Amino acid sequence: MATSVKIVLRKKQNSDGSFPLAVRITKDRKSSYVYLGHNVHESYWDKTNHRVKKSHPNSVRLNHFLTTKLAEAEENLLDLKTQKAAISAKTIKRKIKGTKEASFFAQAQLYLDSLKKQGKYNRENCDKSRIKVFKDYLDNSDIAFQDITVSLLMRYRAYLRGEKKLAEQTVVNYLTIIQTVYNLAIANQVADIRFYPFGKDKITLKAQKSMKIGLTLEEVQALEELQLPQDSYMHHARNIWLFAFYFAGMRVSDVLRLTWADFQNNRLFYAMGKNAKGGSLKVPDKALAILKQYKRKAPIHNLVFPNLEVVEDIADTYKVQKRIVVEIIKLNAALKNVAKEIKITKPLTMHIARHTFGNISGDKIPIQMLQKLYRHTSITTTINYQANFMFKDADDALDAVIG
């Protein structure tokens, strides 16, 4: 159906007897209004021509203002039609009026608020710092989306590499958050896709492949055999690391959230926090030995491990994730001391438990089974991940030449 844009005098009367002027947008018999900040008495309004009568003392200036606003509205409507966007009266209103959220950092705040509401503390915390660096680069000023150009982003990329001394993958992460916010703004129809600075022949973002190094089987055995006081935090950190390793490198965030109800009939039933992918695994004897050390009466929140017992509401995912970050720092600090005890020079952190399982499994386990153990949604992810630990073919090729 046809879309009409007109200047009208609204029906709601002000206390002084005047009526507000507005742009009326009608689409599919539904109307929205953009108020123009001017009011006139009904006697001065020409209903037929939608303009102020000459008898009004400021008729020339007001009519010029109204003509300008009507032209702007019609131009914005034409833009939407050219983009073949889904058009409604409200969509046209947003395009004409603009919103206070139309700047980059206003949209960035909406994005961060959304992450917080979803309980995604880790993402919010990382992306907030990346957005702050971009704002600092812009001298703490806001910026319109159409001003985020290819040349600006190229200068920003050079700044991150040169002055900030960031690794290439970190630079990609900092640019990716700008792309994410820009995409959100386009979806919210406050940014024009014509000015989009990402893509072919513009700013392209490609994830860099990082080195993943795990412990060897001998190093894991040394870790298992290390004598530590049972009431020490180093002993607890070692238990958490080994427990994660025994369950195919379970993520520490999942380990710390485990409850006793997750264990039934000598099996572990849990859904991975990262992608909610569920499954069940047999509890190995070594893991059972660790579980026995944490059996206690009335554990808070029924948690297996006590790290998150300080969180009042375990259902509050935001606060839980925030506490997990604190606990990981403490665990990694203790593991650093454990590594010194067994003379491991590799970085011993909670995340290395996952790499260690990948390193030891190598090409011994079918890739489909590894996908199941890792809880990867795509087998491609498993193939790419496991490629970090499969060296036999390359080693054999090298031996064939060198001997």
Side-chain angles (χ1 to χ4, degrees), residues 117-393:
K117 287 177 183 176
Q118 295 174 66
K120 296 182 178 180
Y121 172 79
N122 294 340
R123 282 282 301 279
E124 186 220 18
N125 193 42
C126 289
D127 288 345
K128 183 189 291 184
S129 64
R130 292 165 184 163
I131 290 167
K132 184 180 183 304
V133 170
F134 186 45
K135 194 166 189 178
D136 290 343
Y137 175 74
L138 297 172
D139 295 325
N140 207 37
S141 60
D142 210 338
I143 187 170
F145 282 96
Q146 67 187 59
D147 293 328
I148 301 176
T149 60
V150 171
S151 60
L152 171 69
L153 293 178
M154 289 178 68
R155 292 194 301 272
Y156 183 53
R157 175 180 267 168
Y159 164 80
L160 293 173
R161 288 171 175 165
E163 292 193 34
K164 286 293 186 179
K165 310 294 183 187
L166 299 182
E168 187 58 32
Q169 181 55 55
T170 308
V171 171
V172 170
N173 293 340
Y174 275 67
L175 291 171
T176 297
I177 184 58
I178 298 173
Q179 183 183 41
T180 299
V181 174
Y182 211 123
N183 290 342
L184 175 67
I186 291 172
N188 289 340
Q189 298 178 335
V190 297
D192 194 327
I193 197 169
R194 292 178 300 172
F195 302 108
Y196 193 59
F198 299 95
K200 187 179 179 182
D201 299 326
K202 297 180 182 179
I203 297 294
T204 56
L205 303 176
K206 185 177 181 181
Q208 305 297 303
K209 188 173 181 180
S210 60
M211 293 294 293
K212 294 176 173 60
I213 302 173
L215 303 189
T216 63
L217 181 58
E218 292 74 21
E219 288 168 332
V220 173
Q221 289 170 344
L223 187 60
E224 292 173 323
E225 294 166 3
L226 176 64
Q227 296 298 310
L228 292 169
Q230 288 212 354
D231 60 349
S232 69
Y233 196 80
M234 286 171 64
H235 174 75
H236 173 65
R238 189 256 306 269
N239 278 349
I240 299 292
W241 192 96
L242 287 173
F243 195 87
F245 169 71
Y246 294 151
F247 284 100
M250 181 190 293
R251 288 179 170 82
V252 61
S253 56
D254 292 325
V255 173
L256 297 182
R257 281 188 288 230
L258 290 174
T259 69
W260 290 105
D262 294 324
F263 295 89
Q264 303 290 336
N265 304 319
N266 285 331
R267 298 191 68 82
L268 168 61
F269 297 83
Y270 85 101
M272 190 168 75
K274 187 173 183 179
N275 60 10
K277 198 171 180 66
S280 170
L281 291 170
K282 174 189 174 182
V283 181
D285 290 340
K286 290 181 178 180
L288 279 173
I290 291 175
L291 289 174
K292 287 177 182 178
Q293 299 177 42
Y294 292 89
K295 278 288 185 181
R296 56 203 186 278
K297 291 183 179 179
I300 298 173
H301 307 310
N302 202 31
L303 290 165
V304 173
F305 301 106
N307 300 68
L308 301 182
E309 288 183 344
V310 295
V311 181
E312 290 185 10
D313 183 5
I314 204 69
D316 188 332
T317 55
Y318 183 83
K319 289 183 178 178
V320 168
Q321 285 193 8
K322 188 174 183 179
R323 187 64 200 181
I324 286 173
V325 171
V326 174
E327 293 301 318
I328 290 174
I329 292 171
K330 290 166 62 180
L331 290 167
N332 285 342
L335 288 170
K336 188 175 182 180
N337 292 325
V338 171
K340 290 178 182 177
E341 291 289 326
I342 54 177
K343 296 180 173 54
I344 291 179
T345 57
K346 298 170 185 173
L348 182 60
T349 65
M350 285 306 311
H351 194 62
I352 293 298
R354 192 169 185 82
H355 297 340
T356 298
F357 187 88
N359 185 48
I360 294 174
S361 63
D363 55 3
K364 302 181 185 73
I365 301 174
I367 204 72
Q368 292 84 357
M369 180 54 64
L370 284 172
Q371 180 191 9
K372 184 176 180 180
L373 291 171
Y374 291 147
R375 307 286 180 91
H376 287 158
T377 302
S378 168
I379 197 167
T380 304
T381 304
T382 308
I383 293 170
N384 291 337
Y385 179 77
Q386 202 59 22
N388 292 279
F389 313 108
M390 298 173 72
F391 310 116
K392 188 176 184 302
D393 289 347

